[in-house]
Structure formats: C-alpha cells, structure tokens
Amino acid sequence: MNFRYALSEIRKHGADRTWWRKRFLTHAVSRYFTGPGRPDADPVVEEDWDHLVVLDACRFDLFEDVYEDDPLPGTLDRRTSVQSGTPGFLAENFGDGTFHDIVYVTGNPYVDTDLPEGTFHAVESVWKDGWDDDRQTVTPETMADRTLDVAEQYPDKRIISHFLQPHAPFVGDVRLGERDTVAIREQALGNEDSTRRQRTPFEMLEAGEASYEEVWEAYRANLEYAWPSVRLLLTELDGRIAVTSDHGNAMGERAWPFPVRVYGHPLGVLIPALTDVPWLTHQNGERRSVTAEEPTRTDREVSEETNERLRMLGYAE
C-alpha cells in the first residue's frame, strides 16, 4: 500500500461520508462477499439458450414490475448473477474460456476491452458505430435491429445481445440525472480527453438530491423504453431465447451482515439487490443447430491503457 497516497486521499476526502462508505465497500464488504460470504450463483454459460438478451443493470423486481403490467412472451423466473457489475459478469462467465459458438452483439464497451481477443467467434461492437450522440447511449431500437441482422448472418451460432438499458443514462419517458457514458465510449476509442463524468441517479439518491420514488420511476421508464425492442426479439428470433441481466442496482439496501447502505452497483458487493436478476425464457420455433468455429474477424482496436481507464471510469459507482 502507498501510505503517502492513502494519507493524501484521507486528507482530501476525510470529511466525506460517501467517500468513506465507498472505501469500506471496496476494501471490506467486497472481500467478504467474494470470499467466505460468497453466495451461490447461476453462470449464464451453464444455462440452455440459443439467444441471450442481456439488459444491463436490471434488477429482478424492476423487471417483474414492468412484466406484470405488460407481459412478454415466455415464462419468468429469477437467477443469481455471478457478479454485481458488468466487468465481473463478463470475467466470471467468459474470462477463462473460449466460446466460438457465440457471436456477442454489444452496446457495452467492456465486452471489447475486458475479455481476451478471440473469446467469441465474433463481436459486433454496436457501441462504436451505433452510438446516439443526443441520448449518449445505444438505443434499444439500434440494438434490436443489429441483433436481427447478426442472427441472420450467423445462422449456426448462438447470439448474445447486450443492451445498455435500463442502465443510466435514464432517457425514457421519465428522465433523471445525467450520466456522461459517452466519455466511456470515447475512452475506448482512444480519446484521452474524455474524462468528464456526471453524477448518476443513484448517487443523487445517496446524496439526498432525489427521492427513492423519483429514481425508481425513471429507472422503470428506462426499462420500459427497451421493452418493445425486447418483445421484437422474442417474436422474431428463432429457437430458445432467454432474457436476463448482468447485475442490478442498489437503492440504499444494506450489505448484511454489514450495516452499510449500498447505492448503484459496486463490484464484489453480492447482495440480492445487485445479483437477483430476471430469467425469462421463450421458445420460438425449432432450436438452432450450432457449430463452434475459430474467430473469423475482430472489431477490437483498444489499447491496454484504454483498458485501465475503462476500469477506473467503469459503470460501477
């Protein structure tokens, strides 16, 4: 440990209770949950599916809330995610293997930066060329259209479609806060100047700048924004389709057995608010006949320096 650096950070942030909470979550709570207190989990690689739709940062009760008002085709169950943030979800599901029967269609840059090259048969990096500058995200319509194109292009591969919704920015019918996710994208493209980051709605909740009800309403609206695109995939894709999430978002739940409250989705904090995720399955016609083949191309043009900057910026608060 660099004690001089630690002392300077304490001097700088010592009066900030939020800073202390985050340090405690990182250095104590996460070590417990990834060690002796680790819960059992359900890796997506051990499930049976032809197409997997990943809704980024969608906790189970949020999905269930929308599903009860507007059911999708299929049967809803729940699973326990392996981690509480996208980097951990990717690393623990895919980091130690090769999956050359899968094409990964992603609005999330971490798929390109945090996994070894050649992990999948191909990666379709929608975050590079499908970015919406006005909304500062990849829209669900863009993700659905690209997923259908890729499914047609690769009829003998399993397809993962990783949406950014309902992750912030909240750009549905109810908007709240501002998250400069465009900076994450620009970092991954090598733009060293994109370091600006705005407060997330969950940080606003933690700071008392927004109520629980306000954040939940905007969070739900962001999932509703993606709902028609998810429905489209469930009706248009062939085979067994599963809809899930990589992790949830905490809104002040306590990290028992620790009394500390959690906001957002810090890595390694494996509480139900962050690991209880939906698992909706629907079979549409015959199953795919899947063949594993060596990767044929790569869309990767990111440096190790960019990798580190993405880890520092992160989606995790």
Side-chain angles (χ1 to χ4, degrees), residues 233-253:
L233 294 183
L234 285 167
T235 56
E236 293 295 325
L237 292 172
D238 59 314
R240 184 175 178 85
I241 308 149
V243 181
T244 190
S245 180
D246 48 355
H247 58 85
N249 264 309
M251 300 182 59
E253 292 87 352

Side-chain angles (χ1 to χ4, degrees), residues 49-258:
W49 47 268
D50 298 314
H51 302 277
L52 182 67
V53 179
V54 179
L55 298 171
D56 205 303
C58 183
R59 49 191 280 168
F60 175 82
D61 54 358
L62 177 73
F63 189 97
E64 184 182 43
D65 195 22
V66 177
Y67 180 82
E68 288 178 349
D69 288 342
D70 186 10
L72 294 170
T75 302
L76 178 60
D77 201 347
R78 80 170 74 201
R79 293 290 189 271
T80 301
S81 180
V82 295
Q83 255 290 351
S84 56
T86 303
F89 169 83
L90 294 172
E92 295 189 29
N93 275 296
F94 308 109
D96 293 332
T98 55
F99 303 87
H100 294 163
D101 63 335
I102 293 176
V103 177
Y104 207 122
V105 185
T106 182
N108 191 312
Y110 280 125
V111 178
D112 295 80
T113 62
D114 276 30
L115 291 175
E117 189 166 4
T119 298
F120 305 106
H121 177 70
V123 174
E124 189 79 7
S125 305
V126 187
W127 63 271
K128 288 184 179 180
D129 58 2
W131 194 263
D132 187 307
D133 289 326
D134 292 333
R135 296 179 185 268
Q136 296 188 0
T137 190
V138 178
T139 68
E141 296 88 353
T142 297
M143 281 299 303
D145 288 345
R146 190 69 67 85
T147 300
L148 292 173
D149 288 344
V150 168
E152 183 176 357
Q153 182 182 354
Y154 297 95
D156 61 347
K157 299 293 180 287
R158 296 193 293 163
I159 310 296
I160 299 178
S161 180
H162 193 138
F163 283 57
L164 281 183
Q165 290 74 35
H167 197 289
F170 289 167
V171 293
D173 289 342
V174 180
R175 301 196 177 193
L176 179 68
E178 180 184 1
R179 177 64 184 268
D180 202 358
T181 48
V182 69
I184 297 175
R185 175 179 184 269
E186 293 300 317
Q187 288 280 354
L189 290 172
N191 183 348
E192 298 182 5
D193 297 325
S194 293
T195 58
R196 185 166 58 93
R197 181 189 182 282
Q198 303 296 330
R199 191 187 297 271
T200 72
F202 302 99
E203 290 171 330
M204 294 172 64
L205 175 62
E206 181 179 11
E209 298 172 2
S211 70
Y212 186 101
E213 292 73 20
E214 288 173 323
V215 175
W216 184 265
E217 184 182 15
Y219 189 17
R220 175 182 166 131
N222 218 37
L223 177 57
E224 292 173 332
Y225 173 43
W227 211 249
S229 296
V230 176
R231 184 185 301 277
L232 176 66
L233 294 183
L234 285 167
T235 56
E236 293 295 325
L237 292 172
D238 59 314
R240 184 175 178 85
I241 308 149
V243 181
T244 190
S245 180
D246 48 355
H247 58 85
N249 264 309
M251 300 182 59
E253 292 87 352
R254 297 189 188 274
W256 297 115
F258 303 93

